[in-house]
Amino acid sequence: EGTLTGGYQLRDTESVRFRYYMSKRIDLSIVDSGAPFDYLSVSKSLNFGGLANGRQLTFDLVMKFNAGYRVRLSSQNNGVLKQVGKSSQVPYTFAMDGKNIDLSKSSGSPVTVDQGTGVSPPGGQRIGGRVTIGAVGSAQAGTYQDSITITVTTTE
């Protein structure tokens, strides 16, 4: 209670409590190496053109999260490029953050490649990926491919 000239007398006080529930969220973006997070970029095609021993292509996984997370990979062909419609194969090496990932049994049992807790930096947390073609040898002419599924789940 008071006056316009500044005099007042306290009559009562009350507390106000604000609550807000923030749901767990994990967003994944698959982008060119060094590119920023992009909500619309959720798949990536790596085209090697003509296969050659040691040829490499790179990409980044960028995640934004506010809870614990786990990243798993599975390869449809268990870590080899298979010729479309035929049985010829070309091996490749798949690496995340410089560590080779064994995808040889991943079609039935996805491989964990990263996990963590907390909150990501504002621009997201980046994990670098690299695919290196192995020994091409006497591979038959044709188109070779594999499909890798990246799954991100909360651990909380």
Side-chain angles (χ1 to χ4, degrees):
E1 186 173 298
T3 65
L4 291 175
T5 59
Y8 69 91
Q9 183 176 11
L10 180 61
R11 295 282 187 206
D12 195 9
T13 62
E14 291 293 332
S15 296
V16 177
R17 182 187 304 181
F18 294 96
R19 278 185 82 186
Y20 178 77
Y21 176 76
M22 175 64 78
S23 60
K24 296 173 191 163
R25 185 162 179 146
I26 302 172
D27 294 307
L28 175 67
S29 177
I30 307 168
V31 297
D32 292 334
S33 294
F37 182 89
D38 178 357
Y39 283 102
L40 300 176
S41 185
V42 294
S43 66
K44 184 86 176 147
S45 181
L46 300 177
N47 186 345
F48 286 88
L51 293 178
N53 294 352
R55 182 135 188 237
Q56 295 183 348
L57 290 177
T58 61
F59 62 95
D60 285 342
L61 299 181
V62 184
M63 295 179 300
K64 289 187 175 186
F65 53 89
N66 66 359
Y69 69 91
R70 179 175 293 124
V71 180
R72 291 185 177 143
L73 303 177
S74 62
S75 160
Q76 181 179 13
N77 298 332
N78 287 317
V80 295
L81 297 172
K82 285 189 176 179
Q83 186 178 19
V84 175
K86 302 208 176 166
S87 61
S88 186
Q89 299 179 359
V90 172
Y92 67 87
T93 303
F94 190 94
M96 297 297 294
D97 269 351
K99 296 177 222 158
N100 288 345
I101 308 299
D102 181 5
L103 297 173
S104 64
K105 296 179 178 119
S106 66
S107 68
S109 180
V111 178
T112 298
V113 296
D114 192 38
Q115 59 186 20
T117 59
V119 177
S120 65
Q125 179 170 311
R126 186 173 301 273
I127 304 171
R130 182 185 70 242
V131 178
T132 306
I133 301 299
V136 175
S138 59
Q140 295 178 354
T143 300
Y144 290 76
Q145 66 185 22
D146 190 13
S147 180
I148 295 175
T149 301
I150 302 167
T151 305
V152 181
T153 56
T154 184
T155 58
E156 296 178 16

